[in-house]
Amino acid sequence: MYVWLRLARMMATAKSRGRYRLGEESRLTFRCLPSDIDSNFHLNNARYMMLADVGRIDIFVRAGLLDHARKQGWAPMMGGLQS
């Protein structure tokens, strides 16, 4: 459930953060909730990847790519992992 609340917050504040231009920094602030930590009191890997996905969606929304994709009937594929 937490991902939906974080995603809703990001979508609600996207316009107030301005348009994203390629090459610029995009920054979101999240609070680590008790349900986000593992037994070593670190941010859970799955939650980290979920937060990264919310950041990617933010870039798509603010750059106008999501609206363009919807008009074309496309669904963006997002994901990535670097070790």
Side-chain angles (χ1 to χ4, degrees):
M1 183 63 184
Y2 296 115
V3 66
W4 298 113
L5 295 175
R6 289 171 170 161
L7 186 63
R9 178 177 166 244
M10 181 275 300
M11 294 295 281
T13 61
K15 285 189 179 183
S16 67
R17 286 182 278 114
R19 185 162 177 87
Y20 175 80
R21 290 175 184 77
L22 295 178
E24 287 185 353
E25 180 179 304
S26 177
R27 194 177 284 217
L28 294 172
T29 303
F30 295 104
R31 188 167 302 236
C32 184
L33 301 173
S35 61
D36 296 335
I37 59 174
D38 60 15
S39 59
N40 294 322
F41 296 102
H42 296 119
L43 182 64
N44 181 307
N45 289 341
R47 293 290 186 183
Y48 179 83
M49 295 306 294
M50 181 266 310
L51 294 175
D53 285 339
V54 172
R56 288 184 197 101
I57 294 169
D58 177 57
I59 290 174
F60 269 90
V61 169
R62 290 179 45 216
L65 296 173
L66 193 61
D67 289 335
H68 181 68
R70 283 185 181 164
K71 287 177 187 174
Q72 299 294 325
W74 299 339
M77 301 254 327
M78 292 181 254
L81 179 64
Q82 182 177 350
S83 314

